[in-house]
Amino acid sequence: MPMKLFKCDETIPEREKHIYIKEKGEDTTQFLPSAHVETIPGSLSERGCSYCGAKLVIGGVLKDTIQLIHGPVGCAYDTWHTKRYPSDNGNFQLKYVWSSDMKEQHVVFGGEKLLKKAMLEAFAEFPDIKRMMVYTTCSTALIGDDIKPVVKEVEKELGDVDIFTVECPGFAGVSQSKGHHVFNMGWMTDKVGTYEPEITSPYTINVIGDYNIQGDTFVLERYMEKMGVQIIAHFTGNGTYDSLRGMHRAQLNVTNCARSAGYIANELKKKYGIPRIDVDTWGFDYAKEGLRKIGAFFGIEDRAEAVIAEEVAKYESKLAWYKERLTGKKVCIWTGGPRLWHWTKALEDDLGMKVVAMSSKFGHQEDFEKVIARGEEGTVYIDDGNELEFFEVLEMVKPDLVLTGPRVGALVKKLHLPYVNGHGYHNGPYMGFEGAVNMARDMYNAIYSPLMKLAKDDIRGEQNLPSTNGNGNGKATKEVSEQVVSLVQQQVKEATSQVKQPAKEAVQVQPQAKEVAPQVQKPAKEVAPQVQPQAKAAAPQVQPQTKATAPQVQPQAKEVAPQVQVQAKEIASYIQERAAEVTKLIQERCLWQFHSRAWDREENINGVLNKTAQILTGEKVVLETLIDRGFYADAKILAADLEIRFAWLNSMENSQKKAVLEAVKGMLIDIVVTKSKNGELHYSLY
Ligand code: CFM
């Protein structure tokens, strides 16, 4: 019974569809939590509203744009500086927000005049700012205020301003996810292609779905600068309004948060033929992989390797220090959705931690496909979790740490469990190499801090200490405070004694730590002896069973002797077994198989695996279009990974390698398309 009904949900049994515990041998064709559907009445969801998804997550990040919220004042305040996305221009976006401050009279008589007045006032207050976003909210949408004509009037009157209208009231969808969608599609239709950016490098990209949480974007920008790659638009971390209007001029879309911004990446591919490469920007190994993909796309692998070598030399030993102390620690990840799949393997592979429970506020089934493919058996996967479920799951899995937001974090703290802010971070950035170390440091500090242990104790009772000095003002006497201090010191000593203090030299840079690119590491050859010698003779017979034999051997088929047919069967099952190994690896590591729609998944599976076959067999790889190069970049990383992990590959005939990859295609299409339980695969609209 892998779908699980928690005790606390007995009165809302529908919750069973949303909670899954992975068991051995299962994949997402058997079980996939229901997701991105209305919250069940009675379940205290922690989701945000759709307007919030557009304003707080995406639009509000821009550093040069007036954010005007047409509605009551709370809609503006509650989506203002609650998120920590700095910019390099003095944090304009964190300092200011505008509201039309709607009141009852406007609800009764209409708010359009009020909106126009507010827009003109806002531009007048900041005469240097010529860009604005106007958002509708529940109240203005319900009374039917017609925003666009007002926007046109203001644009006409002022002449030199550009305004984007976001019509996504709080009730537009089941969660903030709808706001992402509306913003993406609106920007694509209204604004992309209306501005020509200055091109300063032969290598141009958009970075899509990164919001500069505590400086993440700055880290990525530095890597790209070192590689000589120009970021045309960063959607939307540290971004400007006009740079996002020029997104059509990039050669590649590097997509991080596919949930909030996969839509615009897909539209740019459909309309302008710009390929999309998905990356995981958190985690040491993933950071290497992302840079290598961009390097491969542009043929500047050496530059990517140079950045990797420099960063690894700086941060590897620090990460190792934390790994030693975090290995085996159990962690929960309870955030929006994508960070579940971005982080689970990164924490396990980089730091040896064990991810025991994951909860997604608003992820779609696509996000669960990704996270379940990457996640461990026995891990609990929850969609749209409620507070009582959180308490129950903590009891079940007994984690050492929870990565979640401050609201749920406060609940967790009441149980004297440490939490680290998985949304806005404790002390970021968390992206890239330095970010992986920062994140490890915050988790280490949280887990090993004595505070949570101390919080459980009532030291007054234990030590029989008076709590006041008798004057009724609640001040402890000097003597008493000294006793308290020494008691706390004692407990701190006990709590930390199990951990060695970080030796200074341990966190210093070890320049000798060398980073070897995967393609350079030549694995020892290991032949599958009983099969290999038969390979040549038997290869043709594989054809009818696997649809997968290299075409050039077909003409010999008739000449094969009967006993060879038996051998061929063995070969075929050998191929199938190897294909299953490769499929498992791809399921865990590759994001291209999980794009939002069936056609896109099939296109990627065929495109990447065809190129992988060409690379592995030494054939010429045709790179005519940008889309070809996109497939090639993903294929190159995969081919290198396969060669390292699967020694049998190096001893195979080319025709067999092709047969394996053909079989992999079939298996993947089965899992992520034909048998997929993802209800959105065939939606025509993104
Ligand atoms: Fe993307 Fe985000 Fe996230 Fe998100 Fe978010 Fe966020 Fe998140 Mo909080 S865009 S989906 S709507 S990665 S705010 S920066 S951390 S829930 S998992």
Side-chain angles (χ1 to χ4, degrees), residues 114-379:
L114 177 77
L115 173 64
K116 186 174 175 189
K117 187 168 151 269
M119 291 171 80
L120 293 173
E121 271 177 24
F123 277 125
E125 272 170 6
F126 283 87
D128 294 340
I129 304 253
K130 302 290 183 194
R131 303 291 178 254
M132 178 185 280
M133 290 185 174
V134 179
Y135 300 81
T136 57
T137 56
C138 295
S139 44
T140 45
L142 278 170
I143 62 170
D145 269 5
D146 201 358
I147 308 297
K148 284 200 167 164
V150 181
V151 165
K152 281 222 174 79
E153 258 179 60
V154 173
E155 280 184 333
K156 209 171 154 202
E157 259 178 59
L158 297 182
D160 58 352
V161 300
D162 198 292
I163 303 166
F164 178 53
T165 315
V166 189
E167 295 193 87
C168 185
F171 56 75
V174 299
S175 71
Q176 52 267 64
S177 178
K178 182 66 179 181
H180 306 153
H181 185 185
V182 170
F183 191 105
N184 275 249
M185 303 308 274
W187 189 264
M188 185 69 202
T189 346
D190 291 2
K191 297 298 172 190
V192 172
T194 62
Y195 179 83
E196 285 307 318
E198 190 193 343
I199 306 292
T200 55
S201 161
Y203 316 117
T204 53
I205 64 171
N206 296 318
V207 179
I208 291 188
D210 157 55
Y211 305 98
N212 202 21
I213 306 301
Q214 285 213 25
D216 280 347
T217 302
F218 300 144
V219 174
L220 305 180
E221 283 175 350
R222 258 196 318 276
Y223 297 158
M224 290 307 103
E225 204 182 315
K226 282 185 185 164
M227 283 172 66
V229 173
Q230 181 189 357
I231 300 175
I232 299 268
H234 207 112
F235 189 94
T236 52
N238 196 35
T240 65
Y241 188 101
D242 285 351
S243 69
L244 294 174
R245 294 164 69 198
M247 292 181 93
H248 58 298
R249 287 298 175 216
Q251 293 153 289
L252 173 67
N253 287 318
V254 178
T255 307
N256 175 58
C257 178
R259 178 71 284 123
S260 64
Y263 313 100
I264 200 160
N266 293 337
E267 293 303 314
L268 287 163
K269 179 175 152 190
K270 282 197 302 196
K271 187 163 176 192
Y272 296 101
I274 308 171
R276 158 182 167 183
I277 287 183
D278 286 38
V279 294
D280 298 274
T281 44
W282 293 276
F284 223 70
D285 275 352
Y286 284 143
K288 293 178 200 166
E289 202 176 279
L291 293 175
R292 283 188 177 127
K293 280 187 192 175
I294 297 168
F297 181 87
F298 291 115
I300 50 172
E301 287 93 335
D302 51 337
R303 297 190 193 180
E305 292 307 330
V307 175
I308 292 169
E310 193 186 330
E311 295 293 316
V312 167
K314 266 196 238 168
Y315 296 107
E316 190 174 50
S317 62
K318 295 182 185 183
L319 194 79
W321 191 91
Y322 289 113
K323 181 172 187 175
E324 208 180 295
R325 284 144 184 92
L326 290 172
T327 292
K329 296 291 178 202
K330 291 193 286 182
V331 58
C332 296
I333 309 173
W334 298 345
T335 54
R339 290 177 187 203
L340 277 53
W341 46 265
H342 280 300
W343 288 355
T344 180
K345 274 214 128 342
L347 297 184
E348 286 173 0
D349 295 352
D350 288 356
L351 295 166
M353 300 177 85
K354 206 168 155 30
V355 180
V356 286
M358 290 188 263
S359 176
S360 152
K361 279 203 246 188
F362 54 76
H364 294 211
Q365 287 189 302
E366 170 189 327
D367 296 281
F368 279 100
E369 285 179 290
K370 291 176 187 173
V371 69
I372 292 168
R374 288 180 169 189
E376 291 294 313
E377 288 154 10
T379 296

Side-chain angles (χ1 to χ4, degrees), residues 548-569:
T549 309
Q552 71 273 24
V553 278
Q554 281 177 10
Q556 302 160 3
K558 275 185 192 162
E559 295 155 25
V560 179
Q563 78 271 22
V564 179
Q565 288 177 358
V566 180
Q567 294 164 347
K569 267 193 181 164

Side-chain angles (χ1 to χ4, degrees), residues 396-459:
M396 280 166 68
V397 301
K398 301 208 180 326
D400 298 291
L401 176 77
V402 182
L403 286 162
T404 188
R407 278 172 293 177
V408 179
L411 288 178
V412 170
K413 279 204 293 195
K414 284 182 188 168
L415 300 176
H416 309 302
L417 276 168
Y419 103 93
V420 165
N421 190 339
H423 296 261
Y425 309 159
H426 269 25
N427 300 286
Y430 283 177
M431 278 187 183
F433 301 91
E434 65 189 84
V437 175
N438 290 341
M439 191 174 174
R441 178 207 54 213
D442 286 351
M443 291 192 292
Y444 167 82
N445 286 348
I447 291 174
Y448 285 98
S449 160
L451 287 178
M452 286 299 157
K453 273 192 175 172
L454 289 169
K456 283 184 212 161
D457 298 341
D458 185 344
I459 51 176

